[in-house]
Every structure is written in C-alpha cells, then in structure tokens.
Amino acid sequence: MDTNIMQTVYKALEASTAEIEKNLAERDSLEEKIKSGRYSPQTVQKEFHPKRDALNQQIKADSEKAIQAAKSLVEKYRADAEKLDNLNPAELTDDIKLFQTGIPLLPRDIQAILERNSGNRTMTQLALRYAKEHGIEMVGINYIGGEAERQTANSLDEIIRYYSRWIDKRNAKDVLRRFFNVE
C-alpha cells in the first residue's frame, strides 16, 4: 500500500500539469499571433484557428486524463486501505490463546492485550470482539480501523475535484502547490 499517497498524487498531477503547460504556452502564442493583426485573415483562418482548436482539444483531453489518473490512484489507495481491516493470521500473537482458554477475562486483561498489541489491527479487532461477545465494557475504547486512511482519501477527492477546475489554467502549478501545501 502506498504510504504517502498525498505525495504520489501530487507528483502525478505535477507531471501532468507540466505537460499541459507546454500546450497552453503554444496555444497562447497562437492567440497572440491571431490578435496581432500581422497575419492575413486567410492565414489566421486556415492555419492558426485549426492549430489553436486542436491544442484546446488536446489540453482538455490531457486535463481529463490527468484528473482521472489521480482519481484512480486514490481509489487504489482506498481499496488497499480497506484490506488493512481484514484479519491477518500473520499478526496473531500468543495473546490469542487467552481468548481460547475459557478463562473469563476482565476489562484490565483486555486492556493489557490491547496495549501489548498496539498497532496490530488484527489483535485489536479480536480483543474488542471478545470483549463485546462476553459483555465486557471497554469504556472509551473503540476500533476505528482505517479512519485516517479514509479521511486522507476523502481529502484527496476534494483536492482533485477543486484542482480539476484549475489544471488547464496558466497558474495551475501555483494552485497545485497551494492545494498540497508545497513550498
């Protein structure tokens, strides 16, 4: 799983934006030629307008492709994050034996298991399930699983949605840096 999805999405959008900027510069140069009055109406009509229109279509297509690629990165991250909440037999510790012995566990026993297995999603889920199934109230302790990952993915969705309105503008790189808090 991509642990720094923010940076991955930023880099992908930055690279796409750089490519789009080249076409923007070329299109702007054509616009200046069209407005300059130095070229015949036939040249403007037959050469510059078709080139400009083709560049506009390319900019639009590249922008949509870049935004879709960024969305795909976030969707893959979201799917990978969901899998983190699946129980993993490789994460089982000897504490699993305490759930199987038939010996009644106390809240402090569950608390100790949770502390020993801090950061272990499998054991945390199993300890809290055991507590719930046996009516052991664990005050103030909840398993929120991949909440941080969900929030990151949701934040990226919003950034991408906003950036899709800027990606084809001349100041797109500055806006991208601001959205991702990059100096």
Side-chain angles (χ1 to χ4, degrees):
M1 183 172 140
D2 187 347
T3 55
N4 199 343
I5 187 65
M6 290 291 234
Q7 186 175 13
T8 302
V9 171
Y10 172 79
K11 292 285 185 200
L13 286 171
E14 183 184 44
S16 299
T17 300
E19 286 301 310
I20 291 166
E21 274 184 341
K22 293 174 187 173
N23 286 333
L24 283 171
E26 192 176 336
R27 183 199 65 195
D28 291 349
S29 171
L30 275 172
E31 286 289 350
E32 286 176 23
K33 287 179 181 178
I34 291 169
K35 291 175 184 172
S36 73
R38 288 182 285 169
Y39 300 92
S40 71
Q42 293 88 345
T43 302
V44 169
Q45 200 65 30
K46 294 215 184 313
E47 286 182 41
F48 296 160
H49 282 177
K51 283 182 184 175
R52 180 199 58 197
D53 294 345
L55 283 168
N56 279 334
Q57 286 179 342
Q58 188 65 48
I59 290 165
K60 186 177 190 298
D62 290 348
S63 298
E64 289 170 0
K65 184 177 162 191
I67 294 300
Q68 193 51 53
K71 285 179 179 179
S72 294
L73 288 170
V74 175
E75 281 311 308
K76 177 165 179 8
Y77 172 79
R78 187 177 269 120
D80 290 348
E82 288 295 320
K83 291 176 190 169
L84 293 176
D85 286 336
N86 294 344
L87 296 180
N88 180 354
E91 292 180 351
L92 293 177
T93 66
D94 282 342
D95 284 323
I96 195 71
K97 294 174 188 172
L98 295 172
F99 302 136
Q100 300 166 334
T101 61
I103 300 170
L105 299 178
L106 302 173
R108 72 166 196 234
D109 300 324
I110 302 294
Q111 184 66 43
I113 290 169
L114 289 170
E115 287 172 10
R116 281 193 299 273
N117 292 282
S118 176
N120 180 331
R121 291 181 187 219
T122 296
M123 288 305 295
T124 299
Q125 289 181 83
L126 291 174
L128 292 175
R129 274 188 206 170
Y130 178 92
K132 184 177 180 182
E133 288 170 5
H134 291 84
I136 301 170
E137 194 170 326
M138 300 302 298
V139 180
I141 298 175
N142 297 304
Y143 178 75
I144 55 172
E147 187 59 30
E149 290 87 356
R150 278 190 286 284
Q151 287 178 355
T152 297
N154 292 343
S155 294
L156 280 167
D157 287 340
E158 284 300 300
I159 289 171
I160 292 167
R161 188 171 67 79
Y162 286 125
Y163 188 63
S164 69
R165 299 176 189 149
W166 292 93
I167 192 168
D168 61 351
K169 307 291 185 276
R170 294 297 299 155
N171 61 340
K173 266 195 177 158
D174 295 333
V175 171
L176 182 66
R177 283 190 204 105
R178 255 184 279 141
F179 283 168
F180 280 88
N181 235 353
V182 174
E183 297 299 317

